[in-house]
Amino acid sequence: MAVVIENQEQSPPFPSIAEILIELGFVIVSMRLLAALNKALVYFEKGWDSPLRFIGPFVVCLAFSVYFHRVRYAQLAPMLRFVVRSSALGILVYLVLEWPEFTLANENAVNAFHYIVFGSYLTFLLALTSLFIPSFILPVVVFILSTRYLSPGISGMPAPIFDVRFMLDMAAYLCLFALPVVAFASRLPPYFRDPMRHTELAFAAFGLHLGNYFWSGVAKLQIGPHPWTWILENQTHKTMLYALENGTLPIGHIPWLVDHIYSTAGFLVIPLNFSIVAFQLFAIVCVFRMSWLKITSIFYDIFHAGIYILGGLFFWPWVWNNFTILLSASRQRTEVSLMAKLMCVLVILLGDVSGFPRSARLAWFDVTDVRRTYFQAVTSDGRTLAVPPSFFLTHSFGVSQGYMDMAAHEGQYRPTIWASAATYDRQLSSGTCPAPGPIDPKLVETEQKREERLDTVKHFVRAQHEKMKAREAIFGADNFYFRSHHHPSNPFLFSEFNRLNLKDVVAYNLVVESACLRLDHGKVEKTVVNRVVDRFDVE
């Protein structure tokens, strides 16, 4: 019979030294295990040519779910119950918005491709089940991660996990370490049966998410010659230029609004930069008061809304995590123990330690002298039309990042993913349209590597074209806009492509372009420094 846990009325006692050591030791061991499991998953899932290897982790996690299926949400303390169920719901929403749609470009990976196609339906049912039985979250997490890891073998195109990884890490951690504590409660010492331990586990999971903000703030202090360099010198608003050129700026089809927001953000860039760094560093402090935690979570979501408006980057899983933290803190009616807060802080600090789950370190200089890699569709009447990144479905994130060509080339700028530069010299030269600097001969792509890369792109493009023609016949034109990803394309910026019938496309161009961008009355003006085009016929 399930034991229903309710809020405890008494204030939590101050932890003893022994209790602190035990719980912090538990955090270190559990985080180390989570990192090891993630590393093992990468190894197994990269074996796209071995069904036993890439299916094995999913089967093991399914067995875990069955074993712990008797653990129900009612057995979790209120905060832990809310966080786990919110994570389960977030993952279900992810499957709805970003259904796995990979392209088979490698016929030798057909088994891995079928694993994703048919596994998606089973995983969706498991995700629904996880709303009622929390243990079934784990195989859903592993399946989503496995699809991203298998992508290079199936299509030749990497599929980054950065957008959704930390939502999955929170869910996996709570499944792996909270549910066994509940299941084996009767066999554990009384200290571990205390519902307060549940809240502490929830706070440890918060640390997996909050660590991204803290270490990103630290990285911004470290990226320049002085701690204040990024705050005073980075032209954060200029990311709008790249997003507009890439076709992902959500307001890009309204030039007067682009111009107004660009100039306003430029005027306020230093106080905006300061507030970003301050709130990111505050992530390690905000856990000590519920009011601080709620205010910080709200700021982070406002921050992500700004990132989307200014840069076209859609961090909705991060927004979901922030809302989960905000709502769980708002629902908490009793004092949270000091131990829970210390556990959260420790997880945050471990986020930059080798051998533990690594936090994101998001710090770069937003430059206007960029290198961009993208596709054009070539029509039978000779037109060349920019292809929206969303056209590539689950591969859209990788295509938008320009993973088709990340090699160094003479006469081209160094790769600048999303107009980001990691070195201060690029910040100093931004806006001057400098000539591309010399490239270390050891980094230049060899002719053999170039041929291998272009052959991979050729197979990918041809397979994607055939897939999208079939989808167009079933779902109609422009169906690819009705799904989400990290860089969603603005359909109003691709009006010519939207009117195109894919039967009229005879080839695709892969364009690698170094250019200098500037804004003129809400539209991008660019000076092309170097441009290389490779054509792949599809008809």
Side-chain angles (χ1 to χ4, degrees), residues 210 279 282-283 286 291-301:
L210 294 174
F279 267 96
F282 193 62
C286 71
S291 58
W292 294 352
L293 184 60
K294 289 185 281 188
I295 291 170
T296 306
S297 298
I298 292 170
F299 174 85
Y300 291 153
D301 280 346

Side-chain angles (χ1 to χ4, degrees), residues 103-218:
T103 297
L104 179 62
N106 176 10
E107 292 299 332
N108 294 323
V110 66
N111 288 328
F113 178 71
H114 287 155
Y115 159 74
I116 293 176
V117 171
F118 298 113
S120 297
Y121 295 99
L122 173 59
T123 300
F124 183 76
L125 294 176
L126 294 176
L128 286 173
T129 304
S130 72
L131 297 178
F132 307 96
I133 307 177
S135 63
F136 284 93
I137 294 174
L138 191 61
V140 180
V141 167
V142 167
F143 178 81
I144 292 171
L145 288 173
S146 71
T147 64
R148 303 289 184 102
Y149 294 139
L150 288 169
S151 178
I154 291 171
S155 66
M157 183 64 60
I161 64 169
F162 170 78
D163 55 330
V164 73
R165 179 195 143 195
F166 302 103
M167 174 191 280
L168 300 179
D169 272 358
M170 275 182 60
Y173 180 79
L174 293 172
C175 263
L176 286 167
F177 300 104
L179 300 188
V181 167
V182 175
F184 301 129
S186 61
R187 308 177 195 177
L188 296 174
Y191 176 80
F192 293 100
R193 295 200 298 269
D194 191 324
M196 205 176 295
R197 305 291 85 78
H198 295 196
T199 302
E200 291 163 359
L201 283 168
F203 262 69
F206 293 168
L208 287 167
H209 179 66
L210 294 174
N212 299 306
Y213 298 106
F214 176 74
W215 287 111
S216 292
V218 171

Side-chain angles (χ1 to χ4, degrees), residues 280-295:
Q280 287 184 327
L281 294 176
F282 193 62
I284 201 167
V285 178
C286 71
V287 298
F288 287 98
R289 287 194 179 180
M290 288 290 104
S291 58
W292 294 352
L293 184 60
K294 289 185 281 188
I295 291 170

Side-chain angles (χ1 to χ4, degrees), residues 10 49 104-105 115 132 168 189 232 240 242 245 259 262 278 288 341 350 378 385-386 421 431:
Q10 68 274 18
D49 54 346
L104 179 62
Y115 159 74
F132 307 96
L168 300 179
L232 298 181
M240 291 181 70
Y242 189 89
E245 178 67 8
D259 203 43
Y262 182 81
F288 287 98
K341 300 165 186 176
L350 291 175
V378 182
L385 308 175

Side-chain angles (χ1 to χ4, degrees), residues 349-372:
L349 293 175
L350 291 175
D352 199 51
V353 178
S354 178
F356 291 89
R358 300 305 294 267
S359 297
R361 291 178 63 95
L362 302 180
W364 57 78
F365 293 111
D366 295 285
V367 297
T368 58
D369 312 318
V370 302
R371 178 175 135 185
R372 180 169 164 249

Side-chain angles (χ1 to χ4, degrees), residues 358-539:
R358 300 305 294 267
S359 297
R361 291 178 63 95
L362 302 180
W364 57 78
F365 293 111
D366 295 285
V367 297
T368 58
D369 312 318
V370 302
R371 178 175 135 185
R372 180 169 164 249
T373 303
Y374 60 97
F375 285 111
Q376 292 175 328
V378 182
T379 64
S380 55
D381 58 2
R383 290 175 296 152
T384 56
L385 308 175
V387 180
S390 291
F391 177 79
F392 296 93
L393 305 176
T394 302
H395 301 292
S396 296
F397 189 2
V399 169
S400 187
Q401 296 274 53
Y403 287 163
M404 302 80 70
D405 185 355
M406 295 298 292
H409 300 294
E410 289 288 351
Q412 295 269 14
Y413 292 135
R414 283 167 282 175
T416 46
I417 294 179
W418 217 253
S420 62
T423 56
Y424 186 54
D425 64 307
R426 291 296 303 276
Q427 163 67 12
L428 293 175
S429 65
S430 177
T432 66
C433 205
I439 302 294
D440 185 342
K442 296 178 182 178
L443 301 178
V444 175
E445 185 179 45
T446 65
E447 187 60 30
Q448 179 183 352
K449 289 290 185 183
R450 179 178 182 275
E451 290 178 1
E452 291 174 356
R453 175 177 58 79
L454 292 179
D455 186 64
T456 298
V457 174
K458 176 184 70 177
H459 284 88
F460 170 69
V461 165
R462 290 178 175 176
Q464 183 72 21
H465 178 70
E466 293 301 318
K467 177 172 186 166
M468 297 308 287
K469 279 202 305 183
R471 282 179 61 93
E472 185 178 73
I474 298 171
F475 301 111
D478 309 330
N479 61 83
F480 48 86
Y481 289 120
F482 295 97
R483 55 174 288 123
S484 176
H485 72 101
H486 192 43
H487 301 166
S489 302
N490 181 343
F492 298 106
L493 296 175
F494 295 94
S495 54
E496 284 191 81
F497 185 88
N498 297 341
R499 292 192 294 267
L500 186 65
N501 189 316
L502 291 181
K503 293 179 180 179
D504 295 330
V505 176
V506 297
Y508 290 86
N509 288 337
L510 175 65
V511 182
V512 181
E513 182 179 84
S514 292
C516 309
L517 310 179
R518 65 185 183 88
L519 194 69
D520 184 19
H521 294 90
K523 296 185 178 181
V524 170
E525 295 288 337
K526 67 179 178 181
T527 302
V528 176
V529 175
N530 196 321
R531 196 169 190 261
V532 176
V533 179
D534 291 291
R535 174 175 168 136
F536 305 98
D537 292 328
V538 294
E539 295 292 346

